Amino acid sequence: MSVNDQAMELARTLQESKEYRQYLAAKEKLQEDEGNATLFQEFRRIQLELQIAEISGEDTEGTLEQLEHIYQKISLNPIVNEFLTAEYRLARLMTDVQKIIGEALEFWHEPDYSKKYLN
């Protein structure tokens, strides 16, 4: 079996995972209510603005306050909260898979990379 075939098999396995199924169900539930979907989109927009401001070295105080305000709303909203939890669990699964593959290939986590490979 080729590497690409095995990657496709892994993708199918991930699609069948509990984490992915829960993510899809939570996403569907979120999208069914326009108010919840809008609230979530606003949360993501402000998160992105904050990240851009931090990277650019801009003042983030106002954006951070906006994010905290909308997060208070989200934390009280069970549908949005359920989606964020499901999204986190799926992202964690994907990160674990990536870490396993990366470590098996010694792809990163080499503190003395330049000494080992450039000398």
Side-chain angles (χ1 to χ4, degrees), residues 47-60 63:
Q47 272 186 321
L48 182 60
E49 284 179 11
L50 181 62
Q51 289 173 348
I52 291 169
E54 286 175 342
I55 291 170
S56 302
E58 298 174 10
D59 180 32
T60 60
T63 308

Side-chain angles (χ1 to χ4, degrees), residues 5-25 86 89-101:
D5 291 339
Q6 290 178 346
M8 290 301 294
E9 182 62 31
L10 175 58
R12 282 189 289 275
T13 301
L14 289 169
Q15 287 174 330
E16 295 169 2
S17 71
K18 174 182 71 172
E19 291 85 355
Y20 185 68
R21 288 191 318 266
Q22 288 175 341
Y23 168 79
L24 288 178
R89 288 180 180 148
L90 178 60
R92 181 65 190 230
L93 175 62
M94 297 295 292
T95 299
D96 290 347
V97 168
Q98 184 178 13
K99 182 179 177 193
I100 290 166
I101 293 169

Side-chain angles (χ1 to χ4, degrees), residues 51-110:
Q51 289 173 348
I52 291 169
E54 286 175 342
I55 291 170
S56 302
E58 298 174 10
D59 180 32
T60 60
E61 187 175 329
T63 308
L64 188 56
E65 287 175 9
Q66 285 180 322
L67 188 63
E68 288 172 355
H69 176 73
I70 199 164
Y71 182 76
Q72 288 175 356
K73 289 180 185 178
I74 286 176
S75 65
L76 298 174
N77 185 311
I79 293 173
V80 177
N81 212 0
E82 178 183 348
F83 174 75
L84 288 172
T85 300
E87 182 183 54
Y88 170 79
R89 288 180 180 148
L90 178 60
R92 181 65 190 230
L93 175 62
M94 297 295 292
T95 299
D96 290 347
V97 168
Q98 184 178 13
K99 182 179 177 193
I100 290 166
I101 293 169
E103 287 176 353
L105 299 176
E106 298 181 19
F107 190 63
W108 55 68
H109 305 295
E110 185 65 48

